[in-house]
Amino acid sequence: MSTNEAAFSRAQQVIPGGVDSPVRAFGSVGGTPRFIDHARGAYIYDVAGREYLDLVGSWGPALLGHAHPEVVAAVQSAAAKGLSFGAPTEAEAELAELIRYRVPLAERVRLVSTGTEATMTAIRLARGATGRDLLVKFAGCYHGHSDGLLVAAGSGLATAGLPGSAGVPAATAAQTVVVPYNDFDAVREVFAERGDQIAAVITEPAAANMGIVPPEPGFNELLRELTAAHGALLIYDEVLVGFRVSAAGWWGLEGRTVSPDLFTFGKVVGGGMPLAAIGGRTEIMDLLAPLGPVYQAGTLSGNPLATAAGIATLKLADAEVYAKVDAAAATLSAALTAALAEAGVPHRLQHAGSLFSVFLGITGPVLNYVSAQTQHTGAYRAFFHSMLDSGVALPPSAFEAWFVSATHDEAALARVLEALPAAATASAVALG
Ligand SMILES: Cc1ncc(COP(=O)(O)O)c(C=O)c1O
């Protein structure tokens, strides 16, 4: 049997940082990442044979729990028929229909392989549709790692973007305007100044990549109103919340009150396989090649294994699944806040449906990225490692949501509840 240390050391000799996606390296919490051997239901197992109750859920896809037998069987049966054809399959239309059934505004759907591709394509479509270049995004919202979206906020209410990563051309970053989330006046100001140049506003309709920061009442409605008034498009990036917080994602949970022009989906829609999607109004989506002038393509787009996993997942994700996930999240978040209060840890818990996260060391509402950054990350580090020692795997970053699944039953939750008091005490010590 291997150890996590040996696996990490080996990986670091051949993979930059030893990981294929940065947050997996435990950079912000320290220590050795767990190298996973397998996972089942609510549990993951590392290469050293240790079991952990999992609250990461592959960063969202594992709504039904890991390795759901029917999803695995669907993938196996697809695999037996061939891994990839580079030609259309009937299953792709079936998955697109399932998506449209849940979110009817997605009149046309294009399948791609990653959330990054989905948002990149949605933005290209918006630019193609409007003939404009400027993109408005919100500080602290993550939309994947394409150049124009790796842009940090500058100073001031709405600043021309500066690259948030080496290798992003300044000219590309300058096409993105970054505005604080939930800042009604800043959005109004951008539209007042540059409304005729804006191709689209892209938003996480409930932000989940700076911890959970739900929209203030009326914020998404304002985005719709301003984009419509200025001839710009509104993109709901539901890669994380889509099909997770309700059968129709955040758009459904919000009450279908806002009608975005385009949606992006990922994570749950691929059931754990590399699959994502763009959906929207027919006249915009039909601008995509081969019908229209906006190019998008992919050797593995609509891959038969990924499509099979997506179809099986959406078919299984019924009202009972969402009720179980909601109930597990409610139990867990109530226990979390009780344990922290008992240990005297100031904290702020925020929800977006069944997604929640905790900001340690602060109590006021977190409305945007600036306030999210005032949390005490050292307290989270201590909390995280205490939980890990007790066999509970939390997201290795204070800026991520906690994910539960329909397999987080009483026994699974009991493991977390038992671990919480010691972790709360550890974070109290770290806070000093
Ligand atoms: C809201 C949102 N959009 C886009 C992405 C990018 O998706 P992917 O990692 O599949 O490229 C993510 C990933 O976490 C996300 O949370």
Side-chain angles (χ1 to χ4, degrees):
M1 189 169 291
S2 187
T3 64
N4 293 294
E5 288 72 19
F8 194 31
S9 164
R10 174 187 174 186
Q12 283 171 304
Q13 304 307 311
V14 66
I15 297 172
V19 293
D20 284 322
S21 197
V23 73
R24 298 177 194 171
F26 273 27
S28 65
V29 290
T32 306
R34 300 307 187 256
F35 277 62
I36 303 309
D37 178 71
H38 66 283
R40 189 158 302 274
Y43 298 89
I44 53 173
Y45 301 83
D46 70 14
V47 290
R50 178 132 196 243
E51 176 188 273
Y52 302 85
L53 186 277
D54 183 27
L55 292 173
V56 182
S58 184
W59 300 101
L63 178 74
L64 304 173
H66 291 290
H68 189 289
E70 287 176 56
V71 178
V72 172
V75 173
Q76 283 170 337
S77 133
K81 293 168 78 178
L83 301 183
S84 172
F85 313 123
T89 60
E90 287 186 310
E92 290 159 66
E94 185 181 357
L95 180 54
E97 285 162 3
L98 286 170
I99 293 170
R100 183 172 61 186
Y101 177 74
R102 286 169 174 243
V103 182
L105 293 179
E107 294 169 355
R108 294 284 182 275
V109 174
R110 171 65 57 91
L111 303 181
V112 294
S113 300
T114 65
T116 293
E117 274 182 85
T119 55
M120 184 181 79
T121 303
I123 289 160
R124 190 176 299 140
L125 256 178
R127 288 178 167 146
T130 59
R132 301 172 179 177
D133 289 342
L134 217 57
L135 175 73
V136 175
K137 86 172 273 288
F138 296 99
C141 283
Y142 179 67
H143 303 288
H145 63 95
S146 66
D147 281 354
L149 290 167
L150 283 182
V151 178
S155 57
L157 275 185
T159 345
L162 299 171
S165 159
V168 173
T172 304
Q175 300 302 323
T176 306
V177 177
V178 181
V179 177
Y181 197 71
N182 276 328
D183 191 331
F184 290 61
D185 286 341
V187 186
R188 286 194 191 102
E189 208 172 292
V190 173
F191 272 95
E193 281 173 17
R194 307 182 75 177
D196 60 348
Q197 301 165 42
I198 296 171
V201 172
I202 185 166
T203 189
E204 289 187 64
N209 282 291
M210 49 176 144
I212 294 295
V213 180
E216 286 282 273
F219 187 64
N220 288 338
E221 285 78 0
L222 176 73
L223 301 183
R224 178 66 289 181
E225 193 186 306
L226 288 172
T227 45
H230 291 267
L233 302 192
L234 176 62
I235 304 169
Y236 260 29
D237 179 1
E238 294 231 13
V239 165
L240 198 150
V241 292
F243 312 124
R244 171 161 272 281
V245 297
S246 86
W250 184 261
W251 175 77
L253 201 63
E254 183 171 66
R256 305 178 179 223
T257 48
V258 176
S259 298
D261 302 288
L262 292 170
F263 289 85
T264 50
F265 304 109
K267 299 184 187 272
V268 170
V269 77
M273 297 286 286
L275 189 140
I278 310 111
R281 287 214 314 278
T282 304
E283 72 264 28
I284 300 170
M285 292 297 292
D286 280 356
L287 293 173
L288 281 175
L291 293 181
V294 178
Y295 196 69
Q296 182 278 327
T299 302
L300 295 178
S301 285
N303 172 265
L305 276 61
T307 304
I311 290 171
T313 299
L314 290 191
K315 283 186 171 167
L316 287 160
D318 57 12
E320 196 186 326
V321 161
Y322 290 105
K324 277 187 188 164
V325 171
D326 285 349
T331 302
L332 210 53
S333 56
L336 170 60
T337 200
L340 289 169
E342 176 71 25
V345 178
H347 65 279
R348 169 83 184 173
L349 191 82
Q350 296 198 164
H351 292 266
S354 61
L355 290 166
F356 64 94
S357 75
V358 67
F359 301 91
L360 300 177
I362 54 176
T363 52
V366 175
L367 297 178
N368 57 40
Y369 194 37
V370 170
S371 46
Q373 284 171 310
T374 62
Q375 68 181 311
H376 196 292
T377 50
Y380 185 78
R381 195 175 305 139
F383 186 88
F384 169 87
H385 278 292
S386 174
M387 293 296 278
L388 197 63
D389 288 346
S390 304
V392 178
L394 293 175
S397 161
F399 291 89
E400 304 286 354
W402 297 24
F403 297 92
V404 297
S405 78
T407 54
H408 282 69
D409 56 13
E410 239 173 79
L413 295 180
R415 161 100 54 109
V416 190
L417 269 47
E418 259 168 50
L420 282 172
T425 304
S427 63
V429 171
L431 277 170

